[in-house]
Amino acid sequence: MNHNARLPRRLGPVLALALVAAAGCAGDGSSPPTATADLDPDQVLADSLIDAWVDAAGGMAAWENIESARYTITTVWYDSVGEIRRMRPRRVEYRKVDGVEQTRIERPEAEGLYVQTFTGSEMWATLNERLLEPGVRAWDESEYVGRDVVYWFGLPYKLFDPGVNRHAGPREEGGYEVRITFGDGVGLQSGDRYFYYFLDDDPYPEQVHYISQGRGEESRARMYWDGYEQVGDFTYVISRLYRDTEMNPTRELRHDDVELNPVLSDSIFRRPSS
């Protein structure tokens, strides 16, 4: 896969769409219908920008038509001179069951193969097929990483999920900032904050920043997105590259080997007895 490849972009209409929407007009209808008159202008602006992104990426139906998926997320760490220091793949199996999202993640490490599972109501982890216990990091992080791998894979579609708060405003240097926060109890860290940066003529964000719950501005993580890939009607981000304040690469997350709607056995989401 060419990690520098990008889908053709629809240039031009984003600025006009955002200004029309902020004035109180509805978008193109691909996002969940909301009475525009009931929303604050900054949410209307945010929804119009995200709606344009969803439309350019294939429309909301592209995500709704996915009942299951397999894909690999590879984390790459860079040293101080920008050379690759370490790579770690994680194989994700994902499915929707009665509207509930479930994940199973295989992660090879030096001590063996970890498997982390989150069913929406339960979580557990194993090492070399041996059930671990609560208090072990792999177990304790099963829900968080299960939600995390779906959130990033499912963008921009996940931004219209219930409990996601969306606000936007223009930037002095041009373009827009869309600010994402979450309602109480949404996910494990509802205090996380995300910032999506759009140019005037591009429906796709150029950068995404986030600040983890309980941390300040000094902890802001900066991601620069590099390329999109399309499988059927569904579009996903190929690479998310983290850079420090001096623009040096520190970490990268790559999506590869995406398979949509594979048949996944119930048994792989069943908790082992021991």
Side-chain angles (χ1 to χ4, degrees), residues 2 4 22 36 42 55 63 69 72 104 109 119 137 146-147 159-160 176 199-200 239 243 245 272:
N2 180 1
N4 293 316
T36 306
D42 61 346
D55 182 60
W63 176 250
T72 298
R104 180 182 185 273
E109 297 286 358
T119 67
R137 182 175 179 179
R147 293 181 184 275
L159 296 179
F160 283 120
Y176 299 92
L199 299 178
D200 288 342
S239 171
R243 294 182 181 273
T245 55

Side-chain angles (χ1 to χ4, degrees), residues 11-34:
L11 302 179
V14 178
L15 177 59
L17 173 64
L19 294 177
V20 168
C25 299
D28 63 4
S30 60
S31 63
T34 304

Side-chain angles (χ1 to χ4, degrees), residues 170-177 197-200 207:
R171 305 179 69 198
E172 291 184 1
E173 58 269 45
Y176 299 92
E177 177 189 74
Y197 295 101
F198 294 83
L199 299 178
D200 288 342
Q207 299 180 39

Side-chain angles (χ1 to χ4, degrees), residues 183-195:
D184 291 341
V186 178
L188 282 181
Q189 294 189 177
S190 56
D192 288 354
R193 291 173 286 161
Y194 293 83
F195 308 83

Side-chain angles (χ1 to χ4, degrees), residues 17-68:
L17 173 64
L19 294 177
V20 168
C25 299
D28 63 4
S30 60
S31 63
T34 304
T36 306
D38 297 336
L39 302 179
D40 292 333
D42 61 346
Q43 183 176 341
V44 175
L45 176 59
D47 285 0
S48 69
L49 290 163
I50 297 170
D51 200 43
W53 180 13
V54 167
D55 182 60
M60 187 62 73
W63 176 250
E64 293 173 345
N65 290 337
I66 296 175
E67 294 298 325
S68 63

Side-chain angles (χ1 to χ4, degrees), residues 249-270:
T250 59
R251 184 163 57 105
E252 182 181 9
L253 290 95
R254 302 174 180 171
H255 285 104
D256 292 289
D257 305 322
V258 175
E259 180 183 0
L260 299 183
N261 293 320
V263 176
L264 300 180
S265 171
D266 290 341
S267 63
I268 67 173
F269 294 94
R270 189 174 299 132

